[in-house]
Amino acid sequence: MPTFTLIHFQFLCWAALWTVGLSAIAFVGGGLVGFGVALARISSTRWVRILATAYIQVVQGTPLLILLFLFYFGIAIVGFKEVPAIFAAGLGLTIYSSGFLAEIWRGCIESVPKTQWEAAECLSLSRWQRLTRVILPQAMRIATAPTVGFLVQIVKNTSLASVVGFVELSQAGKLVNNSIFEPFTIFMVVAAIYFVLCYPLSTWSRSLERKLNVGRR
Amino acid sequence: MSAVVSLTNVEKSFGAVKVLNGVSFEVARGEVAAVIGQSGSGKSTALRCINALETIEGGQIMVCGHAVHDPKLDKKTLRRDVGIVFQSYNLFPHLTAEQNIMLAPTCVKGIGKAAARDLAREVLARVGLEAKADHFPEQLSGGQQQRVAIARSLAMQPKLMLFDEVTSALDPQLTGEVLKVMEDLARGGMTMILVTHEMAFARKVASKVIYMHQGTVWETGPGAMLDDPKTPELRAFVGSGL
Amino acid sequence: MTYQFDFAALLPYWREFAMGVWLTLQLSFVATVLGFVLGTLCAIGRSDGAPWVKALVACYVEVIRNTPLLVQIFIIYFGIATLGLHVDANVAAVLALVVNVGAYTSEIVRAGLESIHKSQLEAAECLGLSRPQTYWHVIVRPAIERVYPALTSQYVLLMLASSITSQISAEELTAVANRIQSDTFRSFETYIVVGVLYLALSFVVRIAFWLFGLVVFVRRRKLGTAL
Ligand SMILES: Nc1ncnc2c1ncn2[C@@H]1O[C@H](COP(=O)(O)OP(=O)(O)OP(=O)(O)O)[C@@H](O)[C@H]1O
Ligand SMILES: [Mg+2]
């Protein structure tokens, strides 16, 4: 009976790189889409706001697992038969992240006092200038802590990409388990690797939050 | 005399509450008008209507040739002519004093960075704060912040300045330095409308006093009007020592 | 795109879908109740317990919040088996969800506890209430009331996350969907239907929490609260 060895550990570490890569894709993709949705959410046009709200509600009200299945089977339907699993996984996680990031960032933008919008308006700045030159720089400061905090959620949720066959850390754990069947040991190691990835981010997010609170007094 | 600002029967409500109920007054070029009145009488609202921060339901407002009551009003050009300073300063906390001032000239007027910086230094000098150009708002006292806010408005070279209780959040010592800046401005010929609780200042600087009561202009006249009120309401108001 | 959508093929399975919804509701309900109890106890331990209790709870919370639920489910499911016990996948699923949501609950409730002034406690003790009584009435209840909206969001997320327990073949909506799609080969349609069902469920859970809040927190009802 083979047991858990260094080779297996190395395989898991290699797979952890894919977890990181997939997280990066989800964060960048979700950030771009989410930023657009956050802006749409505070748009001055009513129907744009409604559309953005609906998007956020749908994404936040559907399990990520189901989103991933939908993209996995959806891509095949659109006609791409043999796309690598990373497409479905990346797409699903991007949409998932965008829904949550949009809502986080909307909150940050709206927590900048209304009087700042007004003061900028009174200086004749256009709506876009008010947003980019006055509001967003302030919102960004508030947004860093929750954004880093959400990064932890993304890293953890990439584990679900295993259900569409993408080999990241969790799927690698399952593969190792198929060959040596020591599930408890293997998944403890897998969990430990996730912890090593996530804990620094959590700590960083918390310290950012503390700093912000001190800054505000 | 050409009126820079004229309000005719202006009406404005928030929900069911009628805040402005037929307000009319005029302010001529170079005039300094002090708006006084009890809390809730609609002073701030009137000022905000002049700057199109609120849309009015009835009446007319003409400001520097702009028809503010017109739904097709180009707010951007209106606000190039009108500067406003708020009670709570509303400086941009992520920008230094100088950057606060440079923002609008560079963004709106397309002035180059270097020229904008010269302009910023010049207006900062006018409010006596050349030395604080590189300070962030939180590094400045309330009075200094308010003077930067005034400088920020001046940098757009407005034809009219609006002040809404700009000293109410300040200690007495700091109030003095801000009032001095405003007095200098008045002496320099700037057309100004200021909402204030500083009766002594109104008496000294204002060429016209507008007493508002329950959403209308109750009494209006020169600064001396405060020493000889005609209506019992103004008498009570002045007498209350506010 | 030549794909022909065929939702009609799923019609005969409506009973299974309904069953799946019911199972997910049950699973989430049990996990919510137990997770709330566990989380509240942990929060109390973390803010007012002995130093070793504080440290223990802190570890538990950090470990759970920095590892994926999927892996936690595997560890609990296989861990119990390693101990030589045989448990039903459903029991393991509930256990994993409770352990998971307990950590999040504890952080939320702790924030609530910290927002309540301790002087309240002394004031109430002067009125002659016993210590546990005061603690419950003056600190814990108001704290929970204050963080109730955050708890609601957390338990909606829990309901959605319960879909992950399908990975150890626990009985719930996603597992049912997996079965139906392999029977019908209408995968995309199946997951669309299931997605809509989850969406509906998340609204239902939200409304249920809102109603529950109205009943439990009388003050909230009087002040009027948003959904
Ligand atoms: N945005 C708003 N929404 C609803 N009501 C408002 C709003 N702004 C002002 N009001 C109401 O309009 C009335 C007049 O307000 P305004 O701020 O113009 O008074 P004011 O004369 O400036 O008083 P103060 O001296 O306290 O500044 C008040 O009753 C106020 O509650
Ligand atoms: Mg006012």
Side-chain angles (χ1 to χ4, degrees), chain B residues 14 17 19 37-46 54 87 164-165 195 197:
Chain B
F14 288 110
V17 189
V19 178
Q38 264 102 353
S39 184
S41 54
K43 308 180 295 290
S44 301
T45 308
E54 308 283 357
Q87 179 178 345
D164 189 0
E165 297 190 31
V195 173
H197 286 305

Side-chain angles (χ1 to χ4, degrees), chain A residues 57-66 69-71 73-75 77-79 100 152-153 155-157 159-160 162-163 170 174 177 181 183-184 187-192 194-203 206, chain C residues 1-3 5 59 62-71 74-76 78-80 82 104 107 156-157 159-161 163-167 174 177-178 181 187-189 191-192 194-196 198-200 202-203 206:
Chain A
Q57 293 283 336
V58 168
V59 172
Q60 294 203 353
T62 317
L64 174 57
L65 201 57
I66 303 298
F69 280 136
L70 280 174
F71 279 102
F73 293 110
I75 286 176
I77 283 177
V78 182
F100 282 85
V152 178
Q153 301 297 326
V155 173
K156 290 190 294 180
N157 277 321
S159 63
L160 296 185
S162 60
V163 298
S170 301
K174 283 191 221 164
N177 187 38
F181 204 73
F184 189 68
F187 286 113
M188 283 304 254
V189 173
V190 167
Y194 274 112
F195 188 84
V196 168
L197 292 177
C198 292
Y199 187 70
L201 290 175
S202 296
T203 312
R206 252 193 311 255
Chain C
M1 197 170 130
T2 52
Y3 189 80
F5 282 93
C59 277
E62 287 306 321
V63 166
I64 295 300
R65 288 184 5 131
N66 289 296
T67 52
L69 175 59
L70 179 69
V71 176
F74 284 151
I75 288 177
I76 288 182
F78 293 119
I80 295 175
T82 309
Y104 289 92
E107 279 300 276
V156 171
L157 287 179
M159 187 277 294
L160 297 174
S163 63
I164 301 176
T165 63
S166 63
Q167 295 299 302
T174 305
N178 293 346
Q181 65 97 13
S187 316
F188 195 65
E189 289 89 335
Y191 290 115
I192 290 223
V194 170
V196 171
Y198 272 111
L199 205 55
S202 65
F203 282 114
R206 221 164 248 291

Side-chain angles (χ1 to χ4, degrees), chain B residues 1-240:
Chain B
M1 239 177 18
S2 58
V4 173
V5 179
S6 82
L7 279 73
T8 322
N9 284 319
V10 172
E11 295 181 22
K12 167 80 195 171
S13 2
F14 288 110
V17 189
K18 193 118 196 178
V19 178
L20 298 185
N21 196 1
V23 170
S24 307
F25 64 79
E26 282 196 351
V27 179
R29 171 153 301 134
E31 214 171 14
V32 177
V35 182
I36 59 171
Q38 264 102 353
S39 184
S41 54
K43 308 180 295 290
S44 301
T45 308
L47 222 54
R48 292 167 61 84
C49 289
I50 291 173
N51 202 16
L53 278 171
E54 308 283 357
T55 43
I56 60 174
E57 286 124 29
Q60 298 191 324
I61 302 181
M62 294 297 297
V63 176
C64 306
H66 306 281
V68 180
H69 52 275
D70 187 347
K72 292 194 293 288
L73 165 80
D74 180 5
K75 291 185 184 178
K76 245 184 112 162
T77 56
L78 167 73
R79 281 166 187 152
R80 278 177 172 227
D81 290 339
V82 182
I84 186 165
V85 183
F86 303 93
Q87 179 178 345
S88 50
Y89 334 133
N90 300 347
L91 291 179
F92 306 132
H94 62 295
L95 300 177
T96 62
E98 186 180 80
Q99 290 167 335
N100 259 281
I101 297 168
M102 289 164 61
L103 183 64
T106 50
C107 278
V108 179
K109 291 192 172 168
I111 294 174
K113 270 258 157 63
R117 182 163 293 122
D118 291 343
L119 178 63
R121 299 278 159 160
E122 184 202 313
V123 287
L124 275 174
R126 275 170 79 181
V127 299
L129 287 174
E130 323 69 322
K132 303 288 184 187
D134 294 324
H135 286 54
F136 283 95
E138 62 178 340
Q139 297 171 308
L140 299 172
S141 74
Q144 290 169 336
Q145 288 190 51
Q146 194 58 292
R147 280 145 69 197
V148 173
I150 294 174
R152 182 173 72 177
S153 284
L154 289 178
M156 290 296 279
Q157 283 141 347
K159 301 194 179 103
L160 166 72
M161 285 286 285
L162 308 175
F163 297 87
D164 189 0
E165 297 190 31
V166 292
T167 57
S168 297
L170 301 174
D171 298 341
Q173 313 97 287
L174 300 182
T175 300
E177 65 190 38
V178 175
L179 291 182
K180 185 178 168 303
V181 167
M182 290 166 66
E183 206 181 326
D184 290 348
L185 266 182
R187 216 171 285 124
M190 175 67 77
T191 312
M192 297 166 41
I193 303 178
L194 40 106
V195 173
T196 185
H197 286 305
E198 302 282 338
M199 287 306 145
F201 183 71
R203 236 185 229 104
K204 182 166 145 208
V205 178
S207 49
K208 179 179 214 165
V209 174
I210 298 164
Y211 171 60
M212 284 188 65
H213 185 64
Q214 293 176 349
T216 55
V217 176
W218 205 257
E219 205 178 324
T220 170
M225 164 182 115
L226 294 171
D227 302 317
D228 178 26
K230 292 195 180 56
T231 58
E233 287 81 6
L234 180 56
R235 193 170 307 130
F237 179 70
V238 175
S240 70

Side-chain angles (χ1 to χ4, degrees), chain A residues 10 17 42 46 55 57 88 94-95 101 104 108 130 188 194 197:
Chain A
Q10 277 168 346
L17 289 181
I42 57 159
R46 209 173 112 86
Y55 177 85
Q57 293 283 336
T94 292
I95 298 303
L101 284 173
I104 293 173
C108 295
R130 279 174 243 162
M188 283 304 254
Y194 274 112
L197 292 177

